Amino acid sequence: AQSVTQLGSHVSVSEGALVLLRCNYSSSVPPYLFWYVQYPNQGLQLLLKYTSAATLVKGINGFEAEFKKSETSFHLTKPSAHMSDAAEYFCAVRAPMSNFGNEKLTFGTGTRLTIIP
Amino acid sequence: NAGVTQTPKFQVLKTGQSMTLQCAQDMNHEYMSWYRQDPGMGLRLIHYSVGAGITDQGEVPNGYNVSRSTTEDFPLRLLSAAPSQTSVYFCASSYRTVRSPLHFGNGTRLTVT
């Protein structure tokens, strides 16, 4: 079975500072990994995805994430935080399995990012 | 381009009432799913479908029914609403490959009193 752990349910950073949101995954087969962002009262939007090509993945709004197989991690970073980055961020894993329903996407519990002016 | 459309946006039910949450997508996605979002618990999969006539249970299926008669539509039925079903419900769809990200609707906020 696959799972995702997001360390830190709340993260606060100052405007202009580095953003680091942590995600560790568990999967018995090579996974596909995603980061989503959710703004208040909205659905989830895809930030970026890892699909076994380059290990450093660039997404929208200046975010990027690095897939590290040895650490089973997929941490999300942004060099300089902006007020508009305040939102909730979800890491998710989708792994192929042999049985019906191998496309299921499993989410972490989310990290709420607050930007301090 | 509408994407994934959910209706209604808000709903209040009394315990024991039934209702259907609607979900439609116009991207010809084979895979459709329903999640519920609760504080501190992330998103949990209720039911999913990989094509018309094919559905299966997710993590938290009890109290919910689904069917998929067309590629476009995937309604979620609450049979007898309970306060524990107070939540925000999201419908999501994708192509049927593990590389494909899910596209989400804007959610339905349900309160059961």
Side-chain angles (χ1 to χ4, degrees):
Chain A
Q2 61 208 38
S3 65
V4 173
T5 302
Q6 290 184 243
L7 295 176
S9 58
H10 292 86
V11 171
S12 296
V13 302
S14 298
E15 190 175 15
L18 171 72
V19 175
L20 171 60
L21 304 183
R22 299 178 186 274
C23 172
N24 288 88
Y25 69 90
S26 171
S27 176
S28 57
V29 296
Y32 295 90
L33 296 157
F34 306 84
W35 274 100
Y36 285 85
V37 60
Q38 185 180 32
Y39 298 103
N41 300 314
Q42 294 187 24
L44 279 73
Q45 302 174 29
L46 180 69
L47 265 182
L48 49 80
K49 62 179 180 179
Y50 167 75
T51 57
S52 76
T55 57
L56 182 62
V57 181
K58 295 188 185 299
I60 62 173
N61 301 337
F63 284 93
E64 61 182 36
E66 187 172 9
F67 174 71
K68 292 187 176 180
K69 183 178 179 181
S70 61
E71 299 177 9
T72 61
S73 69
F74 191 55
H75 301 330
L76 182 71
T77 60
K78 182 173 180 178
S80 177
H82 192 273
M83 295 300 294
S84 61
D85 295 327
E88 190 153 21
Y89 293 79
F90 292 92
C91 183
V93 61
R94 202 172 199 186
M97 292 182 284
S98 60
N99 57 332
F100 169 75
N102 60 1
E103 301 87 357
K104 288 186 283 187
L105 191 67
T106 300
F107 285 88
T109 53
T111 297
R112 184 168 299 279
L113 177 64
T114 300
I115 310 299
I116 304 166
Chain B
N1 54 356
V4 179
T5 303
Q6 289 185 240
T7 56
K9 290 187 177 181
F10 301 95
Q11 183 71 50
V12 178
L13 291 178
K14 295 185 187 305
T15 298
Q17 288 184 317
S18 63
M19 78 159 295
T20 299
L21 307 184
Q22 301 291 345
C23 175
Q25 54 91 8
D26 62 357
M27 296 172 281
N28 205 28
H29 285 162
E30 305 96 335
Y31 182 86
M32 296 187 73
S33 55
W34 278 100
Y35 287 86
R36 59 177 290 172
Q37 183 178 26
D38 302 291
M41 306 192 75
L43 285 90
R44 293 180 292 168
L45 183 63
I46 304 171
H47 285 285
Y48 65 96
S49 169
V50 296
I54 308 170
T55 64
D56 202 359
Q57 297 179 348
E59 299 173 67
V60 289
N62 293 339
Y64 307 96
N65 255 0
V66 292
S67 60
R68 182 113 177 254
S69 55
T70 68
T71 300
E72 295 78 21
D73 299 298
F74 190 45
L76 178 72
R77 297 182 191 83
L78 279 70
L79 309 173
S80 176
S84 61
Q85 294 178 305
T86 293
S87 187
V88 181
Y89 291 85
F90 288 99
C91 179
S93 71
S94 76
Y95 294 111
R96 196 187 166 184
T97 74
V98 291
R99 298 171 177 265
S100 179
L102 288 182
H103 296 257
F104 282 82
N106 284 328
T108 295
R109 186 173 295 272
L110 175 68
T111 302
V112 183
T113 62

